[in-house]
Amino acid sequence: PAAGVRRLLVLDHQPLIDRADGPRGGDAHQEVKCLGLARLGIDTEQSVQRATLGHPGLIRLLNRYYASVHFGASMAFLVFVYVRGPKLWAHIRFLFITVTGTALIIHLFYPLAPPRMLDGYVDTIARYGPAIYDGRSAVGQLANQFAAMPSLHFGWAVLVAYGVVRALNTRWRWLVILHPAMTLAAIVITANHYWLDAVVAGVLIAAALALEGERSRRALATFGDDHPAASPQICLDDAQT
């Protein structure tokens, strides 16, 4: 059978490993590029995963978090802001569209395989479930599995946390930071992403904020003026119901 060729590249794009890896079907050979992170000093994903593999309950929790919370939490947040906060909505919509669109372009032109496809890592989702990449589920049929960098899981989680902190005045709003923290743990320990994938997602968010520039600052200033921070209520609508 035809084999897909996986080429691992270090950061200067010199070949590190070439190998045939499993049947792909037909006569096609697919080259998948992965970044080597040793030169950045952050190639600790494997050791972090190994330290947690002895705790299957934690692994299953992170698997579920990775598979279930990402899309649902992001969509619920967007609906919430759209319905309750039209002034904040324009700002959040711009960030989501800009970050997601840029990430998809990178995924298209520079596909990168996740660490779970490499030797030395454990595909925890394949081992413990839920089975989302087996080809039978909708995710498995539609998802681009060679879209490791940047991590939209982490990028969206950061945007949700950012939006919640902006939208609410209560001190409890800071608990939302647990969402990107849990997401970061999930994407690395399940071997679906490298640390660098999360870093690049953060860079895209910073770039989107900078791109919006003065428009973003004016929108947020107006939002803050209409709803003083001293109020412990949701800062979303001019009219209270």
Side-chain angles (χ1 to χ4, degrees):
V5 177
R6 179 184 301 151
R7 176 167 297 166
L8 306 184
L9 300 179
V10 294
L11 291 180
D12 59 2
H13 300 282
Q14 296 300 315
L16 179 63
I17 299 174
D18 284 314
R19 66 172 182 166
D21 183 27
R24 296 288 185 182
D27 295 323
H29 287 72
Q30 180 175 352
E31 180 180 278
V32 181
K33 300 174 182 176
C34 298
L35 286 176
L37 304 179
R39 295 187 180 184
L40 290 181
I42 58 174
D43 56 327
T44 60
E45 297 87 355
Q46 193 174 78
S47 59
V48 169
Q49 187 190 57
R50 287 176 178 173
T52 59
L53 287 177
H55 306 279
L58 173 62
I59 296 297
R60 290 188 175 94
L61 172 64
L62 293 176
N63 283 357
R64 288 287 177 182
Y65 203 90
Y66 176 86
S68 305
V69 176
H70 163 62
F71 190 79
S74 300
M75 293 304 103
F77 166 73
L78 289 174
V79 170
F80 174 70
V81 174
Y82 178 77
V83 172
R84 297 295 304 277
K87 291 181 179 178
L88 185 60
W89 165 249
H91 176 59
I92 295 298
R93 178 186 61 192
F94 177 86
L95 294 180
F96 265 86
I97 291 176
T98 303
V99 170
T100 303
T102 305
L104 292 178
I105 292 173
I106 295 173
H107 295 164
L108 178 64
F109 289 100
Y110 198 68
L112 296 172
R116 62 184 168 82
M117 293 185 175
L118 308 180
D119 290 337
Y121 291 91
V122 175
D123 187 341
T124 63
I125 289 180
R127 176 177 292 188
Y128 296 105
I132 58 175
Y133 292 132
D134 60 357
R136 294 191 295 269
S137 67
V139 174
Q141 294 174 3
L142 298 176
N144 176 10
Q145 297 192 47
F146 304 117
M149 188 183 77
S151 169
L152 281 178
H153 268 75
F154 184 71
W156 283 14
V158 171
L159 289 176
V160 168
Y162 168 82
V164 168
V165 169
R166 285 291 185 180
L168 304 179
N169 284 323
T170 173
R171 70 182 70 177
W172 297 105
R173 72 189 188 274
W174 295 105
L175 288 176
V176 75
I177 295 175
L178 293 174
H179 176 44
M182 280 285 292
T183 300
L184 182 60
I187 64 176
V188 171
I189 292 175
T190 62
N192 277 284
H193 289 280
Y194 299 99
W195 299 119
L196 186 60
D197 303 332
V199 172
V200 174
V203 170
L204 291 186
I205 292 171
L209 285 167
L211 182 63
E212 194 178 19
E214 190 60 34
R215 172 181 175 271
S216 173
R217 288 190 289 272
R218 285 199 302 266
L220 292 176
T222 302
F223 179 75
D225 291 342
D226 289 346
H227 304 278
S231 172
Q233 301 177 7
I234 297 176
C235 299
L236 292 174
D237 279 327
D238 292 330
Q240 298 294 322
T241 57

